Amino acid sequence: MTDTFHETFARLWTLDRDVIAIAWLSLRVSLTAVGIGLFLGIPLGALVAVARFPGRDALVALLNAFMGLPPVIVGLVLYLILSRSGPLGGFGLLFTPGAMVAAQAVLATPLVAALARQVVADAEAHLGEQLRSLRLSAPRRALVLIYDARFSLVTAALAAFGRAISEIGAVLVVGGNIDGHTRTMTTAISLETQKGDLSLALALGVVLMGLVLTVNAAAALLRGHAARAYG
């Protein structure tokens, strides 16, 4: 065990090429997926929060249910869609980073939408009557409330990043865990643990935890600055 910890520290201290490559791919895939999730999920959640239409309650329940989508099911469905016999098979996306981005984005988007809906609904409770008195349309009210609650929406971004960066089931199915191409930190940790290369698994685990803690610390600093600057 002591030798394992020494080797783990050596990998981190010397910036082991495998660790850096796997961590960079994981970060790139997850940040892209989170960006897509925020781009789609925040407007969707805000519109659901401010608009009134038939089936709204059912849509809210569906968004809340999709927050717990089983990753392996998402991976299986995307595998069928992206496989050569599937409707998008001609694009050749299966077993590529693009497929992993799609899988993580599918998981992140409903999570962001559900959290954004709650944040915007809380903001509308304070500003909704005033905005309606200005005869603003639902999309314009949603945009105003998104801007007003922009710092609170950081929570949605953090939740999406946490889910994306720690995902293993869906990315394993559609990415294939190909060395040097689609191997992420979570899939590599699982594989290297099974192979007995505990130093690499531990090094990747330390990097993964470091990334998550760094992102959360940065978000906390941002919210603290916003609270001091805007009250």
Side-chain angles (χ1 to χ4, degrees), residues 11-228:
R11 285 180 181 272
L12 295 172
W13 181 257
T14 59
L15 299 178
D16 182 84
R17 185 175 61 183
D18 291 336
V19 173
I20 296 301
I22 293 170
W24 172 240
L25 175 63
S26 298
L27 190 60
R28 190 170 77 245
V29 167
S30 295
L31 288 178
T32 304
V34 170
I36 294 171
L38 294 175
F39 179 77
L40 298 176
I42 288 179
L44 173 60
L47 278 174
V48 172
V50 303
R52 298 294 180 268
F53 52 88
R56 177 178 176 274
D57 291 341
L59 181 56
V60 171
L62 191 63
L63 286 177
N64 290 333
F66 276 17
M67 289 176 66
L69 270 175
V72 290
I73 300 300
V74 172
L76 176 60
V77 171
L78 284 176
Y79 181 92
L80 294 174
I81 293 173
L82 299 177
S83 64
R84 290 190 176 184
S85 58
L88 300 182
F91 291 99
L93 291 174
L94 194 61
F95 304 136
T96 67
M100 298 191 297
V101 169
Q104 291 188 5
V106 170
L107 292 168
T109 299
L111 177 63
V112 170
L115 294 175
R117 186 205 65 80
Q118 186 59 58
V119 169
V120 172
D122 292 341
E124 195 204 17
H126 298 286
L127 298 175
E129 186 175 348
Q130 180 181 353
L131 294 176
R132 284 190 293 272
S133 70
L134 297 174
R135 299 183 181 277
L136 296 180
S137 64
R140 292 188 66 185
R141 294 202 311 273
L143 286 174
V144 172
L145 291 170
I146 287 172
Y147 180 79
D148 182 71
R150 61 193 182 280
F151 295 111
S152 296
L153 289 171
V154 171
T155 304
L158 286 176
F161 179 76
R163 177 151 205 194
I165 198 71
S166 61
E167 164 51 30
I168 183 171
V171 297
L172 185 60
V173 173
V174 301
N177 197 26
I178 303 170
D179 188 19
H181 186 52
T182 60
R183 184 162 295 172
T184 63
M185 285 187 286
T186 51
T187 58
I189 289 171
S190 176
L191 175 66
E192 299 305 329
T193 301
Q194 294 176 19
K195 288 168 55 180
D197 191 350
L198 297 180
S199 64
L200 179 54
L202 284 171
L204 290 169
V206 170
V207 173
L208 179 59
M209 285 301 301
L211 285 173
V212 172
L213 291 174
T214 299
V215 170
N216 277 271
L221 290 174
L222 175 62
R223 295 193 67 175
H225 171 73
R228 290 189 299 270

